[in-house]
C-alpha cells in the first residue's frame, strides 16, 4: 500500500503498463463526462488531465459503520477503468484494506499527512460518536472525533462515503445511543462532498475522484452537499416504471398481476419520489439492475434520517417522508393526478432544456 517507488507516476503510465488502449480510456472519459453532466467536448480534456494525473494521496477513515460501503466500492468490477482509478490512488491509510497493523499503520498515516499536507483527500465512512466524549468508537487509543479533527486539518477536501458519514445514518437512528453525528456536523472549514447511500454506488465515488483528479476540485453539489450530476434527479424521475405511475397502474402486492407486469411500486412503499440518487441510471453490478428493477421498492437510503422515517412497505402518503418538491404530495392522490404529474414533469423538462 505504501510502496510508492515501484508504482507508475502518472495514470497515463499505469494505463500503458496495463495495455489499456487510448480508445477505451477516451470511452471511459466520455461516460464520466456525460454522467457528470459535462459537455461532450470535456471528454478529451478529462482524458488529457487524467492521463497526466499523479497519484493522489488518500487517507480513508472508517468510523461507526457496517463496512457495506467498503464492500460496495471494492466490488467495482475488476478490469474496468473505474477500478483502475481506485487502484491508482495512493491509499495511504484504510483499516479494512491495509496489510500493515498496529503502530506502523498510524505512523504511515502521519508520514502521508506530513508529505502531502494541504493536498491529500480524506475519505470518511461511518458516523462519529460524540456522547460521553466519544468513547463508543476508538482506534489506536484515539476517539473517532480526535482522529477526524486531526486528519481533517491538512486535507484539501473531504469525501464522505455512505449515509452514516454524510448524515449520521443507522448509528444516528433513534434513540442514537452513541450521539452519532455526520462529518459535516463537526468539520466546517473544509470543502466536503457527500456521497450517501447505504451503501453508495461505486461509480459515483470514482466519478467524484476522477473529477478531483481532472479539475483539482470537487464537482458542483446540491443543498445536502451531494454531487448534483448524480443526485440532481429523484429516482422516481428516472425510473423506467414511471410510465405505469403516470397511467395509475400500481402493484398492490409483491406477487399480484401488477407486480408481474412490472407496474409501479408506489403503493408497496417505494420511496423513489422523495429519494435523490443515481440508482435508476447508473444502476448496480456493472449497470445490470437496481432494487426497483429487481422488484423491490426504494427504501430511500441516500436521504437523511431514512431509517427513522421507516415505513418501507407503506405508501409515502402514510409515512413521515414529506412531499419533496410536491412530487410525493401528487403521488398521494395516485392515479387521479398521474396525468398532472406527467404534465409537471414535461414542463420541468421543457424548462430545463430552455435553460440549458
Ligand atoms: Fe453506513 Fe458504510 Fe450503510 Fe454500512 O461504511 S451507509 S451502515 S452500508 O457501511 O456507513
Amino acid at each position: 500500500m505504501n510502496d510508492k517507488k515501484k508504482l507508475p507516476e502518472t495514470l497515463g503510465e499505469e494505463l500503458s503498463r496495463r495495455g489499456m488502449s487510448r480508445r477505451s480510456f477516451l470511452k471511459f472519459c466520455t461516460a464520466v463526462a456525460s454522467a457528470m453532466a459535462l459537455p461532450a467536448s470535456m471528454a478529451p480534456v478529462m482524458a488529457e488531465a487524467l492521463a497526466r494525473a499523479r497519484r493522489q494521496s488518500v487517507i480513508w477513515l472508517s468510523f461507526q459503520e457496517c463496512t457495506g460501503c467498503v464492500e460496495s466500492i471494492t466490488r467495482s468490477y475488476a478490469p474496468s477503468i473505474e477500478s483502475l482509478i481506485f487502484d491508482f490512488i495512493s491509499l495511504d491509510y484504510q483499516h479494512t484494506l491495509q496489510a500493515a497493523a498496529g503502530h506502523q499503520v498510524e505512523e504511515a498515516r502521519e508520514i502521508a499527512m506530513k508529505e502531502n499536507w494541504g493536498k491529500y483527500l480524506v475519505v470518511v465512512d461511518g458516523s462519529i460518536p460524540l456522547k460521553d466524549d466519544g468513547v463508543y468508537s476508538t482506534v489506536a487509543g484515539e476517539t473517532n472525533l480526535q482522529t477526524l479533527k486531526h486528519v481533517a486539518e491538512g486535507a484539501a477536501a473531504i469525501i464522505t462515503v455512505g449515509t452514516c458519514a454524510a448524515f449520521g445514518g443507522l448509528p444516528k437512528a433513534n434513540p442514537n445511543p452513541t450521539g452519532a453525528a455526520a462529518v459535516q456536523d463537526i468539520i466546517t472549514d473544509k470543502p466536503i462532498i457527500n456521497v450517501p447511500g447505504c451503501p453508495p454506488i461505486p461509480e459515483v465515488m470514482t466519478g467524484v475522484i476522477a473529477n478531483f483528479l481532472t479539475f483539482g476540485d470537487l464537482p458542483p453539489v446540491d443543498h445536502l452537499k451531494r454531487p448534483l450530476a448524480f443526485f440532481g434527479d429523484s429516482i422516481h424521475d428516472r425510473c423506467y416504471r414511471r410510465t405505469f405511475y403516470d397511467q395509475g397502474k400500481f402493484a398492490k402486492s409483491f406477487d399480484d398481476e401488477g407486480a408481474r407486469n412490472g407496474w409501479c411500486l408506489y403503493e408497496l412503499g417505494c420511496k423513489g419520489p422523495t429519494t435523490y440518487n443515481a440508482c435508476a441510471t447508473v444502476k448496480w453490478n456493472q449497470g445490470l439492475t437496481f432494487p426497483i428493477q429487481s422488484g423491490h421498492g426504494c427504501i430511500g437510503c441516500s436521504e437523511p434520517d431514512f431509517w427513522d422515517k421507516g415505513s418501507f412497505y407503506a405508501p409515502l402518503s402514510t409515512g413521515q417522508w414529506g412531499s419533496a418538491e410536491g412530487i410525493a404530495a401528487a403521488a398521494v392522490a395516485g392515479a387521479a393526478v398521474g396525468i398532472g404529474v406527467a404534465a409537471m414533469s414535461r414542463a420541468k423538462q421543457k424548462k430545463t432544456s430552455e435553460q440549458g
Side-chain angles (χ1 to χ4, degrees):
M1 186 180 287
N2 291 308
D3 190 2
K4 295 177 197 169
K5 281 182 193 150
K6 293 180 192 161
L7 299 169
E9 279 286 301
T10 65
L11 185 58
E13 287 169 27
E14 176 73 7
L15 286 168
S16 340
R17 193 181 70 82
R18 293 189 183 206
M20 182 82 63
S21 72
R22 181 166 165 77
R23 189 185 168 85
S24 315
F25 187 50
L26 204 52
K27 203 171 147 196
F28 164 77
C29 292
T30 306
V32 173
S34 143
M36 304 207 67
L38 296 169
S41 57
M42 283 309 291
V45 177
M46 181 173 255
E48 203 53 44
L50 274 179
R52 273 188 280 111
R54 297 193 166 268
R55 242 165 232 287
Q56 170 67 47
S57 170
V58 175
I59 296 178
W60 187 310
L61 304 174
S62 294
F63 297 140
Q64 292 190 126
E65 40 80 29
C66 77
T67 311
C69 300
V70 174
E71 282 286 333
S72 170
I73 283 151
T74 52
R75 291 293 182 277
S76 50
Y77 346 101
S80 71
I81 303 185
E82 288 93 333
S83 68
L84 185 146
I85 286 198
F86 188 63
D87 290 349
F88 180 70
I89 58 173
S90 176
L91 199 50
D92 291 323
Y93 185 80
Q94 216 288 355
H95 294 161
T96 314
L97 306 176
Q98 64 204 5
H103 294 297
Q104 274 184 333
V105 176
E106 305 307 316
E107 274 167 35
R109 188 191 72 197
E110 289 300 320
I111 291 168
M113 284 171 60
K114 206 169 154 200
E115 285 179 353
N116 301 288
W117 191 257
K119 289 185 286 192
Y120 59 83
L121 272 180
V122 175
V123 174
V124 182
D125 65 319
S127 65
I128 302 94
L130 300 181
K131 198 172 162 189
D132 299 329
D133 292 327
V135 294
Y136 299 107
S137 180
T138 64
V139 176
E142 274 185 358
T143 66
N144 294 166
L145 181 63
Q146 288 169 327
T147 307
L148 175 63
K149 283 185 170 171
H150 173 60
V151 176
E153 219 182 324
I158 301 176
I159 303 174
T160 73
V161 175
T163 302
C164 297
F167 307 131
L170 286 183
K172 190 182 165 219
N174 189 35
N176 190 2
T178 67
V183 172
Q184 61 190 348
D185 298 333
I186 296 161
I187 305 297
T188 51
D189 61 348
K190 293 285 174 184
I192 295 180
I193 192 161
N194 290 325
V195 182
C198 189
I201 301 173
E203 286 79 359
V204 177
M205 169 80 195
T206 46
V208 170
I209 294 179
N211 189 94
F212 190 84
L213 292 174
T214 306
F215 303 112
D217 206 354
L218 297 174
V221 295
D222 70 3
H223 67 294
L224 293 174
K225 294 192 167 71
R226 301 176 295 194
L228 258 180
F230 298 102
F231 291 84
D233 292 313
S234 72
I235 288 177
H236 183 61
D237 277 343
R238 297 303 195 112
C239 182
Y240 74 102
R241 295 190 192 225
R242 175 63 187 262
T243 46
F244 293 118
Y245 170 87
D246 292 339
Q247 293 165 22
K249 290 181 174 171
F250 300 101
K252 310 280 185 193
S253 78
F254 285 107
D255 59 357
D256 69 2
E257 200 195 337
R260 280 191 288 279
N261 288 333
W263 290 358
C264 176
L265 300 172
Y266 171 81
E267 292 192 6
L268 293 172
C270 182
K271 304 296 177 281
T274 49
T275 302
Y276 288 74
N277 203 343
C279 300
T281 47
V282 176
K283 300 190 180 181
W284 292 81
N285 300 325
Q286 211 161 2
L288 183 69
T289 187
F290 71 113
I292 294 170
Q293 192 172 344
S294 301
H296 193 286
C298 164
I299 63 168
C301 75
S302 57
E303 294 296 318
D305 305 320
F306 82 99
W307 194 258
D308 285 337
K309 289 175 191 163
S311 63
F312 297 139
Y313 297 98
L316 275 166
S317 53
T318 60
Q320 303 172 44
W321 286 79
S323 55
E325 295 195 3
I327 294 174
V332 170
V337 294
I339 293 168
V341 172
M344 269 167 52
S345 173
R346 281 194 295 274
K348 185 182 162 201
Q349 281 168 8
K350 186 164 179 275
K351 198 171 159 210
T352 311
S353 64
E354 281 168 5
Q355 284 168 348

